[in-house]
């Protein structure tokens, strides 16, 4: 039993609210326990300058991440730092792994992940919620964008799979899923795992924090992560119901 009465393989309570704000087609408020992230996705009918030189430019997906000053105590200063830059690159890589940019066409979608309250797992929750904001934005393209002459846009053809992410680690020598701050700050091993809904890995970040870990420990953590991603994928699917494209 963990300090918050969860079992080792148990996620924190996950809550998702679609359409949290109205200024962007994709807006998701997602929480895991006391970690809360607002994920919005904005659409631009253009592509980055480096893509404009292509004869038939394809689309692009990028991401930004930030922790708001009041998301932690003491207050986090409102400025970009190396950690935020590393995390937003991770989010962008994770989302781009399942996108067909040719089908997206010459459009750019920017996914913004703003942490409102931090209690561990902000980067993984940003990926899980960021995919939902991205999906809502793609589904809205036929109604919000002027399509090119002869263009038939099918949102379901853009995605090869879904994406979710979760943390795992060794706490007191035991593998546990979805670490909060208390566990993360004392974990002997801390890992972040990004996977598709179909069970393929996109990225695995694992670090020993004061102890080494062997192959058996690694496998145990990856098994926990795989089970956690399956649960998160079902939650994502349930949020969209019949609109789920996969």
């Amino acid at each position: 039993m963990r300090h918050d009465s969860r079992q080792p393989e148990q996620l924190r309570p996950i809550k998702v609210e679609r359409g949290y704000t109205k200024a962007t087609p994709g807006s998701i408020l997602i929480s895991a326990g006391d970690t809360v992230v607002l994920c919005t996705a904005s659409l631009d009918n253009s592509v980055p300058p480096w893509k404009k030189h292509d004869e038939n430019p394809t689309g692009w997906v990028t991401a930004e991440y930030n922790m708001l000053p009041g998301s932690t105590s003491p207050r986090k200063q409102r400025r970009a730092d190396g950690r935020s830059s590393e995390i937003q690159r991770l989010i962008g890589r994770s989302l781009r792994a399942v996108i067909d940019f040719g089908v997206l066409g010459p459009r750019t979608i920017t996914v913004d992940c703003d942490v409102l309250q931090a209690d561990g797992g902000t980067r993984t929750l940003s990926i899980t919620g960021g995919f939902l904001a991205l999906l809502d934005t793609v589904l809205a393209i036929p109604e919000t964008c002027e399509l090119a002459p002869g263009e038939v846009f099918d949102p379901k053809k853009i995605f090869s799979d879904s994406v979710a992410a979760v943390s795992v680690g060794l706490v007191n020598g035991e593998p546990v899923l979805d670490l909060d701050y208390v566990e993360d700050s004392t974990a002997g091993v801390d890992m972040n795992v990004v996977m598709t809904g179909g069970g393929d890995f996109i990225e695995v970040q694992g670090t020993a924090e004061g102890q080494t870990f062997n192959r058996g420990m690694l496998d145990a953590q990856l098994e926990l992560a795989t089970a956690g991603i399956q649960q998160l994928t079902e939650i994502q699917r349930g949020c969209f119901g019949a609109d789920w494209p996969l």
Side-chain angles (χ1 to χ4, degrees):
M1 191 73 70
R2 298 155 74 175
H3 77 95
D4 56 2
S5 300
R6 284 186 291 151
Q7 296 297 320
E9 72 282 359
Q10 190 173 359
L11 293 169
R12 289 174 287 179
I14 306 294
K15 298 179 181 179
V16 180
E17 183 175 346
R18 290 175 67 191
Y20 188 73
T21 61
K22 303 303 180 185
T24 61
S27 174
I28 300 289
L29 184 71
I30 186 169
S31 63
D34 288 332
T35 293
V36 185
V37 183
L38 175 61
C39 302
T40 57
S42 305
L43 180 66
D44 186 1
N45 285 304
S46 65
V47 295
W50 55 272
K51 273 185 169 278
K52 292 181 179 179
H53 301 296
D54 297 341
E55 182 177 349
N56 295 304
T58 58
W60 189 243
V61 171
T62 187
E64 294 190 11
Y65 166 95
N66 193 33
M67 291 179 62
L68 299 187
S71 63
T72 64
S73 181
R75 176 185 182 274
K76 186 181 186 300
Q77 294 189 14
R78 194 187 298 272
R79 66 165 185 251
D81 55 32
R83 177 181 179 274
S84 295
S85 298
E86 184 268 325
I87 291 175
Q88 68 187 29
R89 288 196 295 268
L90 168 65
I91 297 169
R93 288 194 304 270
S94 300
L95 299 178
R96 288 192 293 270
V98 297
I99 293 290
D100 186 323
F101 294 114
V103 177
L104 178 59
R107 304 176 176 96
T108 298
I109 299 176
T110 302
V111 178
D112 288 287
C113 300
D114 291 293
V115 178
L116 307 185
Q117 184 169 277
D119 186 39
T122 62
R123 74 183 66 195
T124 52
L125 194 63
S126 293
I127 293 169
T128 302
F131 175 77
L132 298 179
L134 174 63
L135 176 54
D136 254 336
T137 300
V138 168
L139 292 175
I141 287 177
E143 289 76 36
T144 58
C145 290
E146 183 177 346
L147 301 181
E151 181 182 6
V152 178
F153 187 85
D154 185 353
K156 293 185 178 181
K157 293 183 178 180
I158 284 185
F159 296 98
S160 61
D161 210 331
S162 60
V163 176
V166 73
S167 64
V168 288
L170 294 178
V171 178
N172 297 322
E174 297 296 327
V176 295
L177 178 70
D178 193 16
L179 284 65
D180 62 13
Y181 178 76
V182 170
E183 294 174 324
D184 183 66
S185 62
T186 60
V189 177
D190 180 23
M191 298 183 67
N192 300 297
V193 181
V194 187
M195 298 179 69
T196 67
D200 290 334
F201 291 99
I202 295 175
E203 188 153 342
V204 177
Q205 300 177 336
T207 305
E209 303 281 355
Q211 72 173 82
T212 60
F213 58 103
N214 58 35
R215 178 61 181 268
M217 295 175 179
L218 173 62
D219 290 343
Q221 291 174 91
L222 292 179
E223 287 294 329
L224 272 183
T226 300
I229 296 295
Q230 291 174 349
Q231 297 177 60
L232 291 170
T233 301
E234 288 305 309
I235 292 171
Q236 290 175 319
R237 189 192 311 274
C239 291
F240 280 79
D243 291 333
W244 185 254
L246 299 161

